[in-house]
Coordinates of all heavy atoms in Angstrom, one line a residue:
M1 N 0.8 -1.2 0.0 CA -0.1 0.0 0.0 C 0.9 1.2 0.0 O 1.8 1.3 0.8 CB -0.9 0.0 1.3 CG -2.0 -0.9 1.1 SD -3.4 -0.7 2.2 CE -2.7 -0.9 3.8
P2 N 0.5 2.2 -0.8 CA 1.3 3.4 -0.9 C 1.2 4.4 0.3 O 0.1 4.4 0.9 CB 1.0 4.0 -2.2 CG -0.4 3.5 -2.5 CD -0.5 2.2 -1.9
T3 N 2.0 5.4 0.4 CA 1.8 6.5 1.3 C 1.6 7.7 0.5 O 2.2 8.0 -0.5 CB 3.1 6.7 2.1 OG1 3.4 5.5 2.8 CG2 2.9 7.9 3.1
Y4 N 0.4 8.4 0.8 CA 0.0 9.6 0.1 C 0.3 10.8 0.8 O 0.2 10.9 2.1 CB -1.5 9.5 -0.3 CG -1.8 8.5 -1.2 CD1 -2.3 7.2 -0.9 CD2 -1.5 8.6 -2.7 CE1 -2.6 6.3 -1.7 CE2 -1.9 7.6 -3.6 CZ -2.3 6.4 -3.1 OH -2.7 5.4 -4.0
D5 N 0.6 11.9 0.2 CA 0.9 13.2 0.8 C -0.4 14.0 0.7 O -1.1 14.0 -0.4 CB 2.1 14.0 0.2 CG 3.4 13.3 0.3 OD1 3.6 12.6 1.4 OD2 4.2 13.5 -0.5
Y6 N -0.8 14.7 1.8 CA -2.0 15.6 1.7 C -1.6 16.9 2.3 O -0.7 17.1 3.0 CB -3.0 14.9 2.7 CG -3.8 13.8 2.1 CD1 -3.3 12.5 2.3 CD2 -4.9 14.0 1.4 CE1 -4.0 11.4 1.7 CE2 -5.6 12.9 0.8 CZ -5.2 11.6 1.1 OH -5.8 10.5 0.5
R7 N -2.4 17.9 1.8 CA -2.3 19.2 2.3 C -3.7 19.9 2.5 O -4.5 19.7 1.5 CB -1.5 20.1 1.2 CG -1.3 21.6 1.8 CD -0.6 22.5 0.8 NE 0.7 22.0 0.5 CZ 1.3 21.8 -0.7 NH1 0.6 22.1 -1.7 NH2 2.4 21.3 -0.9
C8 N -3.9 20.6 3.5 CA -5.1 21.3 3.8 C -5.1 22.6 3.1 O -4.2 23.3 3.4 CB -5.4 21.4 5.2 SG -7.0 22.2 5.6
E9 N -6.1 23.0 2.3 CA -6.1 24.3 1.6 C -6.5 25.4 2.7 O -6.3 26.5 2.4 CB -7.2 24.2 0.5 CG -6.5 23.3 -0.7 CD -7.5 23.3 -1.8 OE1 -8.7 23.8 -1.8 OE2 -7.1 22.8 -2.8
A10 N -7.2 25.0 3.8 CA -7.7 26.0 4.8 C -6.5 26.5 5.7 O -6.2 27.6 5.8 CB -8.7 25.4 5.6
C11 N -5.8 25.5 6.3 CA -4.7 25.8 7.2 C -3.3 25.4 6.8 O -2.3 25.6 7.5 CB -5.0 25.1 8.6 SG -4.8 23.3 8.5
Q12 N -3.2 24.9 5.6 CA -1.8 24.6 5.0 C -1.1 23.4 5.7 O 0.1 23.3 5.5 CB -1.0 25.8 4.8 CG -1.4 26.9 4.0 CD -1.9 26.5 2.6 OE1 -1.2 25.8 1.9 NE2 -3.2 26.9 2.2
H13 N -1.8 22.7 6.6 CA -1.2 21.5 7.3 C -0.9 20.5 6.2 O -1.7 20.2 5.4 CB -2.2 21.1 8.3 CG -1.7 19.8 9.0 ND1 -0.6 19.9 10.0 CD2 -2.2 18.6 9.1 CE1 -0.4 18.7 10.4 NE2 -1.4 17.8 9.9
E14 N 0.3 19.9 6.4 CA 0.7 18.8 5.5 C 0.9 17.6 6.3 O 1.4 17.6 7.5 CB 2.0 19.1 4.7 CG 1.9 20.3 3.8 CD 3.1 20.6 3.0 OE1 4.1 20.0 3.3 OE2 3.0 21.6 2.2
W15 N 0.5 16.3 5.8 CA 0.8 15.1 6.4 C 0.8 13.9 5.4 O 0.4 14.1 4.2 CB -0.4 14.9 7.4 CG -1.7 14.5 7.0 CD1 -2.3 13.3 6.8 CD2 -2.7 15.5 6.4 NE1 -3.6 13.4 6.3 CE2 -3.8 14.8 6.1 CE3 -2.7 16.9 6.3 CZ2 -5.0 15.3 5.7 CZ3 -4.0 17.4 5.9 CH2 -5.0 16.6 5.6
E16 N 1.2 12.8 5.9 CA 1.3 11.6 5.0 C 0.2 10.6 5.5 O 0.0 10.6 6.7 CB 2.6 11.0 5.0 CG 3.7 11.8 4.4 CD 5.0 11.2 4.5 OE1 5.2 10.2 5.3 OE2 6.0 11.6 3.8
L17 N -0.4 9.8 4.6 CA -1.4 8.9 5.0 C -1.1 7.5 4.2 O -1.0 7.6 3.0 CB -2.8 9.4 4.7 CG -4.0 8.6 5.2 CD1 -3.9 8.4 6.7 CD2 -5.3 9.3 4.7
F18 N -1.1 6.5 5.0 CA -0.8 5.2 4.4 C -2.1 4.6 4.1 O -2.9 4.3 5.0 CB 0.0 4.4 5.4 CG 0.5 3.0 5.0 CD1 1.4 2.8 3.9 CD2 -0.1 1.9 5.4 CE1 1.8 1.6 3.5 CE2 0.3 0.6 5.0 CZ 1.3 0.5 4.1
Q19 N -2.5 4.4 2.8 CA -3.8 3.9 2.6 C -3.7 3.1 1.2 O -2.8 3.2 0.4 CB -4.8 4.9 2.5 CG -4.6 6.0 1.4 CD -5.7 7.2 1.5 OE1 -5.4 8.2 1.1 NE2 -6.9 6.9 2.0
S20 N -4.8 2.3 0.9 CA -4.9 1.5 -0.3 C -5.0 2.3 -1.5 O -5.6 3.5 -1.5 CB -6.1 0.6 -0.1 OG -6.3 0.0 -1.3
I21 N -4.6 1.9 -2.6 CA -4.7 2.5 -3.9 C -6.3 2.8 -4.2 O -6.7 3.9 -4.7 CB -4.1 1.7 -5.0 CG1 -2.6 1.8 -4.9 CG2 -4.4 2.3 -6.4 CD1 -1.8 0.8 -5.7
T22 N -7.1 1.9 -3.8 CA -8.5 1.9 -4.1 C -9.3 2.7 -3.1 O -10.5 3.1 -3.3 CB -9.1 0.6 -4.3 OG1 -9.0 -0.1 -3.0 CG2 -8.5 -0.3 -5.4
A23 N -8.7 3.2 -2.1 CA -9.4 4.0 -1.0 C -9.7 5.4 -1.6 O -8.9 6.0 -2.3 CB -8.5 4.1 0.2
T24 N -10.8 5.9 -1.1 CA -11.1 7.2 -1.5 C -10.2 8.2 -0.8 O -9.9 8.1 0.3 CB -12.6 7.6 -1.2 OG1 -12.7 7.4 0.3 CG2 -13.5 6.8 -2.0
P25 N -9.8 9.3 -1.5 CA -8.9 10.4 -0.9 C -9.5 11.0 0.3 O -10.7 11.2 0.4 CB -8.7 11.4 -2.1 CG -9.1 10.6 -3.2 CD -10.1 9.7 -2.9
E26 N -8.7 11.2 1.3 CA -9.1 11.8 2.6 C -9.6 13.3 2.2 O -9.0 14.0 1.5 CB -7.9 11.9 3.6 CG -8.3 12.4 5.0 CD -9.2 11.5 5.7 OE1 -9.2 10.2 5.4 OE2 -10.0 12.0 6.5
K27 N -10.6 13.7 2.9 CA -11.1 15.1 2.7 C -10.9 16.0 3.9 O -10.8 17.1 3.9 CB -12.5 15.2 2.3 CG -12.8 14.4 0.9 CD -12.3 15.3 -0.2 CE -12.7 14.6 -1.5 NZ -12.0 15.3 -2.7
K28 N -10.9 15.3 5.1 CA -11.0 16.0 6.4 C -9.5 16.2 6.9 O -8.7 15.2 7.0 CB -11.7 15.2 7.4 CG -12.0 16.0 8.7 CD -12.9 15.1 9.6 CE -13.1 15.8 10.9 NZ -14.0 15.0 11.8
C29 N -9.1 17.4 7.3 CA -7.8 17.7 7.8 C -7.8 17.4 9.2 O -8.7 17.7 10.0 CB -7.6 19.3 7.7 SG -6.0 19.8 8.4
P30 N -6.7 16.7 9.7 CA -6.7 16.3 11.1 C -6.3 17.4 12.0 O -6.5 17.4 13.2 CB -5.6 15.2 11.1 CG -4.7 15.5 10.0 CD -5.7 16.0 8.9
A31 N -5.8 18.5 11.5 CA -5.4 19.7 12.3 C -6.6 20.6 12.6 O -6.9 21.0 13.7 CB -4.3 20.5 11.6
C32 N -7.3 21.0 11.5 CA -8.5 22.0 11.6 C -9.8 21.4 11.6 O -10.8 22.1 11.7 CB -8.2 23.1 10.6 SG -8.5 22.7 9.0
N33 N -9.9 20.1 11.1 CA -11.1 19.4 11.0 C -12.0 19.9 9.8 O -13.2 19.5 9.8 CB -11.9 19.3 12.3 CG -11.2 18.4 13.4 OD1 -10.6 17.4 13.0 ND2 -11.2 18.9 14.5
K34 N -11.5 20.8 9.0 CA -12.3 21.2 7.8 C -12.1 20.2 6.7 O -11.1 19.5 6.6 CB -11.8 22.6 7.5 CG -12.1 23.7 8.4 CD -11.7 25.0 7.9 CE -12.0 26.1 9.0 NZ -11.5 27.4 8.5
K35 N -13.1 20.2 5.8 CA -13.0 19.3 4.7 C -12.5 19.9 3.5 O -13.0 20.0 2.4 CB -14.4 18.7 4.3 CG -15.0 17.8 5.5 CD -16.3 17.1 5.1 CE -16.7 16.2 6.1 NZ -17.7 15.4 5.7
K36 N -11.1 20.4 3.6 CA -10.4 21.1 2.6 C -9.1 20.4 2.2 O -8.2 20.9 1.6 CB -10.1 22.5 3.0 CG -11.2 23.4 3.3 CD -11.8 23.9 2.0 CE -12.9 24.9 2.2 NZ -13.3 25.5 0.9
A37 N -8.9 19.2 2.6 CA -7.7 18.4 2.3 C -7.7 17.9 0.9 O -8.8 17.6 0.3 CB -7.7 17.2 3.3
R38 N -6.5 18.0 0.3 CA -6.3 17.5 -1.1 C -5.0 16.7 -1.1 O -4.0 16.9 -0.4 CB -6.0 18.7 -2.0 CG -7.2 19.7 -2.0 CD -7.9 19.5 -3.3 NE -9.0 20.5 -3.3 CZ -10.0 20.4 -4.1 NH1 -10.2 19.4 -4.9 NH2 -10.9 21.3 -4.1
R39 N -5.1 15.6 -1.9 CA -4.0 14.8 -2.1 C -3.0 15.5 -3.1 O -3.4 16.1 -4.1 CB -4.4 13.5 -2.8 CG -3.3 12.4 -2.8 CD -3.7 11.2 -3.5 NE -4.7 10.4 -2.7 CZ -5.2 9.3 -3.1 NH1 -5.0 8.8 -4.3 NH2 -6.0 8.6 -2.3
V40 N -1.7 15.6 -2.6 CA -0.7 16.2 -3.5 C 0.3 15.2 -4.0 O 0.4 14.2 -3.5 CB 0.0 17.4 -2.7 CG1 -0.9 18.5 -2.4 CG2 0.7 16.8 -1.5
I41 N 0.9 15.6 -5.1 CA 1.9 14.7 -5.7 C 3.2 14.8 -4.9 O 3.7 15.9 -4.8 CB 2.2 15.0 -7.1 CG1 0.9 15.0 -8.0 CG2 3.3 14.3 -7.8 CD1 1.0 15.4 -9.4
G42 N 3.6 13.7 -4.4 CA 4.8 13.7 -3.5 C 6.1 13.2 -4.4 O 5.9 12.9 -5.5
P43 N 7.2 13.2 -3.7 CA 8.4 12.8 -4.4 C 8.4 11.3 -4.8 O 9.2 10.8 -5.6 CB 9.5 13.2 -3.4 CG 9.0 13.1 -2.1 CD 7.4 13.5 -2.3
G44 N 7.6 10.5 -4.1 CA 7.6 9.2 -4.4 C 8.7 8.3 -3.7 O 9.5 8.9 -3.0
A45 N 8.8 7.1 -4.0 CA 9.8 6.3 -3.4 C 10.3 5.3 -4.6 O 9.5 5.0 -5.4 CB 9.3 5.6 -2.2
G46 N 11.5 4.8 -4.3 CA 12.0 3.9 -5.2 C 11.4 2.5 -5.0 O 11.0 2.2 -3.8
I47 N 11.3 1.7 -6.0 CA 10.7 0.3 -5.8 C 11.9 -0.6 -5.5 O 12.9 -0.6 -6.2 CB 10.0 -0.2 -7.1 CG1 8.8 0.7 -7.4 CG2 9.6 -1.6 -6.9 CD1 8.1 0.4 -8.7
L48 N 11.7 -1.4 -4.5 CA 12.8 -2.4 -4.1 C 12.2 -3.8 -4.0 O 11.2 -4.0 -3.3 CB 13.3 -2.0 -2.7 CG 14.4 -2.9 -2.2 CD1 15.7 -2.8 -3.1 CD2 14.8 -2.4 -0.8
F49 N 12.7 -4.5 -5.0 CA 12.2 -5.9 -5.0 C 12.9 -6.8 -4.1 O 14.1 -6.7 -4.1 CB 12.3 -6.5 -6.5 CG 11.5 -5.8 -7.5 CD1 12.0 -4.9 -8.3 CD2 10.2 -6.0 -7.5 CE1 11.3 -4.2 -9.3 CE2 9.3 -5.4 -8.5 CZ 9.9 -4.5 -9.4
K50 N 12.2 -7.6 -3.2 CA 12.9 -8.4 -2.2 C 12.6 -9.8 -2.4 O 11.6 -10.1 -3.1 CB 12.4 -8.0 -0.8 CG 12.8 -6.6 -0.3 CD 12.4 -6.3 1.0 CE 12.9 -5.0 1.5 NZ 12.6 -4.7 2.9
G51 N 13.5 -10.7 -2.1 CA 13.2 -12.1 -2.3 C 14.3 -12.6 -3.2 O 15.1 -11.9 -3.7
S52 N 14.3 -14.0 -3.3 CA 15.3 -14.5 -4.2 C 15.0 -14.3 -5.6 O 13.9 -14.2 -6.1 CB 15.2 -16.1 -4.0 OG 14.0 -16.6 -4.4
G53 N 16.0 -14.1 -6.4 CA 16.0 -13.8 -7.8 C 16.0 -12.2 -8.1 O 16.1 -12.0 -9.3
F54 N 16.0 -11.4 -7.2 CA 16.0 -10.0 -7.4 C 17.4 -9.4 -6.8 O 17.6 -9.6 -5.6 CB 14.8 -9.2 -6.7 CG 13.6 -9.6 -7.3 CD1 12.7 -10.4 -6.6 CD2 13.2 -9.1 -8.6 CE1 11.4 -10.7 -7.2 CE2 12.0 -9.5 -9.1 CZ 11.1 -10.3 -8.5
Y55 N 18.2 -8.8 -7.6 CA 19.4 -8.3 -7.1 C 19.4 -6.7 -7.6 O 19.0 -6.3 -8.6 CB 20.6 -9.0 -7.7 CG 20.7 -10.4 -7.3 CD1 20.1 -11.5 -8.1 CD2 21.3 -10.7 -6.2 CE1 20.2 -12.7 -7.7 CE2 21.3 -12.0 -5.7 CZ 20.8 -13.1 -6.5 OH 20.8 -14.3 -6.1
E56 N 20.0 -6.0 -6.7 CA 20.1 -4.5 -6.8 C 20.8 -4.1 -8.1 O 20.5 -3.2 -8.8 CB 20.7 -3.9 -5.6 CG 20.7 -2.4 -5.6 CD 21.2 -1.8 -4.3 OE1 21.0 -2.3 -3.2 OE2 22.0 -0.8 -4.4
T57 N 21.8 -5.0 -8.5 CA 22.7 -4.7 -9.6 C 22.2 -5.2 -10.9 O 22.8 -5.0 -12.0 CB 24.1 -5.1 -9.4 OG1 24.0 -6.6 -9.2 CG2 24.8 -4.5 -8.2
D58 N 21.1 -5.9 -10.9 CA 20.5 -6.5 -12.2 C 20.2 -5.5 -13.2 O 20.3 -5.7 -14.4 CB 19.3 -7.4 -11.9 CG 19.7 -8.7 -11.2 OD1 20.9 -9.0 -11.3 OD2 18.7 -9.4 -10.9
Y59 N 19.8 -4.3 -12.8 CA 19.2 -3.4 -13.8 C 20.1 -2.1 -14.0 O 19.7 -1.1 -14.4 CB 17.8 -2.9 -13.3 CG 17.0 -4.1 -13.2 CD1 16.6 -4.6 -12.0 CD2 16.4 -4.8 -14.3 CE1 15.8 -5.7 -11.8 CE2 15.7 -5.9 -14.2 CZ 15.2 -6.3 -12.9 OH 14.4 -7.4 -12.7
R60 N 21.4 -2.3 -13.6 CA 22.3 -1.2 -13.8 C 22.7 -0.9 -15.4 O 22.7 -1.8 -16.1 CB 23.7 -1.4 -13.0 CG 23.5 -1.6 -11.6 CD 23.3 -0.3 -11.0 NE 23.3 -0.5 -9.5 CZ 23.5 0.4 -8.6 NH1 23.7 1.7 -9.0 NH2 23.5 0.2 -7.3
S61 N 23.0 0.4 -15.7 CA 23.3 0.7 -17.1 C 24.7 0.1 -17.3 O 25.6 -0.1 -16.5 CB 23.3 2.2 -17.2 OG 24.3 2.8 -16.5
D62 N 25.0 0.1 -18.6 CA 26.3 -0.4 -19.1 C 27.5 0.6 -18.6 O 28.5 0.1 -18.3 CB 26.4 -0.6 -20.6 CG 25.6 -1.8 -21.0 OD1 25.4 -2.7 -20.3 OD2 25.1 -1.8 -22.1
S63 N 27.2 1.8 -18.7 CA 28.2 2.8 -18.3 C 28.4 2.7 -16.7 O 29.6 2.9 -16.4 CB 27.7 4.2 -18.6 OG 26.5 4.6 -17.9
Y64 N 27.6 2.4 -16.0 CA 27.7 2.1 -14.6 C 28.6 1.0 -14.3 O 29.5 1.0 -13.5 CB 26.4 2.1 -13.8 CG 26.6 1.8 -12.3 CD1 26.8 2.8 -11.4 CD2 26.7 0.5 -11.8 CE1 27.0 2.6 -10.1 CE2 26.9 0.2 -10.5 CZ 27.0 1.2 -9.6 OH 27.3 1.0 -8.3
K65 N 28.3 -0.1 -15.0 CA 29.0 -1.3 -14.8 C 30.5 -1.1 -15.3 O 31.4 -1.7 -14.6 CB 28.4 -2.5 -15.8 CG 27.1 -2.9 -15.2 CD 26.5 -4.0 -16.1 CE 25.0 -4.3 -15.6 NZ 24.4 -5.2 -16.6
K66 N 30.8 -0.4 -16.3 CA 32.1 -0.1 -16.8 C 32.8 0.7 -15.8 O 34.0 0.4 -15.5 CB 32.1 0.6 -18.2 CG 31.7 -0.4 -19.3 CD 31.6 0.4 -20.6 CE 31.1 -0.5 -21.7 NZ 30.9 0.2 -23.0
A67 N 32.2 1.7 -15.3 CA 32.9 2.5 -14.2 C 33.2 1.8 -13.0 O 34.2 2.0 -12.4 CB 32.0 3.8 -13.9
A68 N 32.3 0.9 -12.5 CA 32.5 0.1 -11.4 C 33.7 -0.9 -11.6 O 34.4 -1.1 -10.7 CB 31.2 -0.6 -11.0
A69 N 33.7 -1.4 -12.8 CA 34.8 -2.3 -13.0 C 36.2 -1.6 -13.0 O 37.2 -2.1 -12.6 CB 34.6 -3.0 -14.4
A70 N 36.3 -0.4 -13.6 CA 37.5 0.3 -13.7 C 37.9 0.8 -12.3 O 39.1 0.8 -11.8 CB 37.3 1.5 -14.5
D71 N 36.9 1.1 -11.4 CA 37.2 1.6 -10.1 C 37.7 0.4 -9.2 O 38.6 0.5 -8.5 CB 35.9 2.1 -9.4 CG 36.2 2.7 -8.0 OD1 37.2 3.3 -7.8 OD2 35.3 2.5 -7.2
K72 N 37.1 -0.8 -9.4 CA 37.6 -2.0 -8.7 C 39.0 -2.3 -9.2 O 39.8 -2.7 -8.3 CB 36.6 -3.1 -9.0 CG 36.9 -4.3 -8.2 CD 35.8 -5.4 -8.5 CE 36.1 -6.7 -7.6 NZ 35.0 -7.7 -7.9
K73 N 39.3 -2.2 -10.4 CA 40.6 -2.5 -11.0 C 41.7 -1.6 -10.3 O 42.8 -2.0 -9.9 CB 40.7 -2.4 -12.4 CG 41.9 -2.8 -13.1 CD 41.9 -2.7 -14.6 CE 43.3 -3.0 -15.2 NZ 43.2 -2.8 -16.6
S74 N 41.4 -0.2 -10.2 CA 42.3 0.7 -9.7 C 42.6 0.5 -8.3 O 43.6 0.7 -7.8 CB 41.8 2.1 -10.0 OG 40.7 2.5 -9.3
Q75 N 41.5 0.0 -7.5 CA 41.6 -0.3 -6.1 C 42.5 -1.4 -5.9 O 43.3 -1.4 -5.0 CB 40.3 -0.4 -5.5 CG 39.5 0.9 -5.2 CD 38.1 0.6 -4.6 OE1 37.7 -0.5 -4.5 NE2 37.4 1.7 -4.3
S76 N 42.4 -2.4 -6.7 CA 43.2 -3.7 -6.5 C 44.6 -3.3 -6.8 O 45.5 -3.9 -6.2 CB 42.6 -4.8 -7.3 OG 42.7 -4.5 -8.7
E77 N 44.8 -2.5 -7.8 CA 46.2 -2.2 -8.1 C 46.9 -1.3 -7.0 O 48.0 -1.6 -6.7 CB 46.3 -1.3 -9.4 CG 46.0 -2.2 -10.7 CD 45.9 -1.4 -12.0 OE1 46.0 -0.2 -11.9 OE2 45.8 -2.0 -13.0
A78 N 46.2 -0.4 -6.4 CA 46.7 0.4 -5.3 C 47.0 -0.5 -4.2 O 48.0 -0.3 -3.5 CB 45.7 1.4 -5.0
S79 N 46.1 -1.4 -3.8 CA 46.4 -2.2 -2.6 C 47.5 -3.2 -2.9 O 48.3 -3.4 -1.9 CB 45.1 -3.0 -2.3 OG 44.8 -4.0 -3.3
S80 N 47.7 -3.7 -4.1 CA 48.9 -4.5 -4.4 C 50.2 -3.8 -4.3 O 51.2 -4.3 -3.8 CB 48.8 -5.2 -5.7 OG 48.8 -4.3 -6.8
K81 N 50.2 -2.4 -4.6 CA 51.4 -1.7 -4.6 C 51.7 -1.4 -3.1 O 52.9 -1.4 -2.7 CB 51.2 -0.4 -5.3 CG 51.3 -0.4 -6.8 CD 51.1 0.8 -7.4 CE 51.0 0.8 -9.0 NZ 50.9 2.0 -9.6
S82 N 50.7 -1.2 -2.3 CA 50.9 -0.8 -0.8 C 51.4 -2.1 -0.1 O 52.3 -2.0 0.8 CB 49.8 -0.2 -0.2 OG 48.7 -1.2 -0.2
E83 N 51.0 -3.3 -0.5 CA 51.4 -4.5 0.1 C 52.9 -4.7 -0.2 O 53.6 -5.3 0.6 CB 50.5 -5.7 -0.4 CG 49.2 -5.7 0.2 CD 48.3 -6.8 -0.3 OE1 48.8 -7.7 -1.1 OE2 47.1 -6.8 -0.1
S84 N 53.3 -4.5 -1.5 CA 54.7 -4.7 -1.9 C 55.7 -3.8 -1.1 O 56.8 -4.2 -0.7 CB 54.9 -4.6 -3.4 OG 54.6 -3.3 -3.8
K85 N 55.2 -2.6 -0.9 CA 56.0 -1.6 -0.1 C 56.2 -2.1 1.4 O 57.3 -2.0 2.0 CB 55.4 -0.3 -0.1 CG 55.6 0.5 -1.4 CD 55.0 1.8 -1.3 CE 55.1 2.5 -2.7 NZ 54.5 3.8 -2.6
S86 N 55.1 -2.5 2.0 CA 55.1 -3.0 3.4 C 55.9 -4.3 3.5 O 56.6 -4.5 4.6 CB 53.7 -3.2 3.9 OG 53.0 -4.2 3.2
D87 N 55.9 -5.2 2.6 CA 56.7 -6.4 2.6 C 58.3 -6.1 2.6 O 59.0 -6.6 3.3 CB 56.4 -7.3 1.5 CG 55.0 -7.9 1.7 OD1 54.5 -7.9 2.7 OD2 54.5 -8.5 0.6
S88 N 58.7 -5.1 1.7 CA 60.1 -4.7 1.7 C 60.5 -4.1 2.9 O 61.7 -4.2 3.4 CB 60.4 -4.0 0.5 OG 59.6 -2.7 0.5
G89 N 59.7 -3.3 3.6 CA 60.1 -2.5 4.7 C 60.1 -3.3 6.1 O 60.6 -2.9 7.0
S90 N 59.3 -4.4 6.0 CA 59.3 -5.2 7.2 C 60.4 -6.2 7.5 O 60.4 -6.8 8.5 CB 57.9 -5.9 7.2 OG 57.9 -6.9 6.2
K91 N 61.3 -6.3 6.6 CA 62.4 -7.2 6.7 C 63.4 -6.7 7.7 O 63.8 -5.5 7.6 CB 63.1 -7.5 5.3 CG 62.2 -8.3 4.4 CD 63.0 -8.5 3.2 CE 62.1 -9.2 2.1 NZ 62.8 -9.4 0.8
T92 N 63.8 -7.5 8.6 CA 64.8 -7.0 9.7 C 66.0 -7.9 9.7 O 65.8 -9.1 9.3 CB 64.2 -7.0 11.0 OG1 63.7 -8.3 11.4 CG2 63.1 -6.0 11.1
S93 N 67.1 -7.4 10.0 CA 68.3 -8.3 10.1 C 68.4 -8.9 11.4 O 68.1 -8.2 12.5 CB 69.6 -7.5 9.8 OG 69.7 -6.4 10.7
K94 N 68.9 -10.2 11.5 CA 69.0 -10.9 12.8 C 70.4 -10.7 13.2 O 71.4 -10.8 12.5 CB 68.7 -12.4 12.6 CG 67.2 -12.5 12.3 CD 67.1 -14.1 12.2 CE 65.6 -14.4 12.0 NZ 65.4 -15.9 11.8
S95 N 70.6 -10.5 14.6 CA 71.9 -10.3 15.1 C 72.3 -11.6 15.7 O 71.5 -12.3 16.4 CB 72.0 -9.2 16.1 OG 71.1 -9.4 17.2
S96 N 73.5 -12.1 15.5 CA 73.9 -13.4 16.2 C 74.7 -13.1 17.4 O 75.4 -12.1 17.6 CB 74.7 -14.1 15.2 OG 75.9 -13.4 14.9
D97 N 74.6 -13.9 18.4 CA 75.2 -13.8 19.7 C 76.5 -14.4 19.7 O 76.9 -15.3 19.4 CB 74.3 -14.3 20.9 CG 73.1 -13.5 21.0 OD1 73.2 -12.3 21.0 OD2 72.0 -14.1 21.3

């Protein structure tokens, strides 16, 4: 069920109402009790499919996938360079007694 945004034309009070798509729009304002409420177009919300078989990355654009792959590649190269530097700096000489 969607959440609808409402505004009272009498007192300008704004609120959200969670109701069925088939429900009749609310007319009564909860703040002033006048029948001047109107449903307004809200920003909406993204659709999120849950359950097996739905993945957030399934519907990504090709340009996004290419940029993500390039970013992943540059991060792996940077981490391999830092590991090689730390390996060479961690060698210590042993002293014999």
Side-chain angles (χ1 to χ4, degrees):
M1 283 198 295
T3 301
Y4 292 101
D5 295 331
Y6 284 90
R7 181 181 303 128
C8 178
E9 292 180 350
C11 68
Q12 302 304 314
H13 175 69
E14 294 182 358
W15 72 98
E16 293 179 344
L17 188 60
F18 185 70
Q19 63 184 154
S20 171
I21 292 173
T22 59
T24 57
E26 186 68 31
K27 297 289 183 188
K28 188 176 180 183
C29 174
C32 69
N33 292 323
K34 293 183 180 178
K35 293 189 177 191
K36 296 281 187 172
R38 300 257 181 197
R39 191 183 284 177
V40 294
I41 297 173
I47 297 174
L48 181 62
F49 295 104
K50 294 185 178 183
S52 62
F54 295 106
Y55 296 95
E56 188 175 318
T57 56
D58 282 351
Y59 305 105
R60 298 282 185 166
S61 66
D62 288 335
S63 60
Y64 177 86
K65 290 176 185 176
K66 288 176 184 176
D71 188 40
K72 187 175 180 180
K73 183 179 176 184
S74 66
Q75 285 180 355
S76 66
E77 288 175 356
S79 67
S80 67
K81 286 180 182 179
S82 66
E83 286 176 6
S84 65
K85 285 182 181 178
S86 65
D87 287 344
S88 63
S90 64
K91 293 179 182 177
T92 57
S93 61
K94 293 184 181 180
S95 61
S96 58
D97 291 321

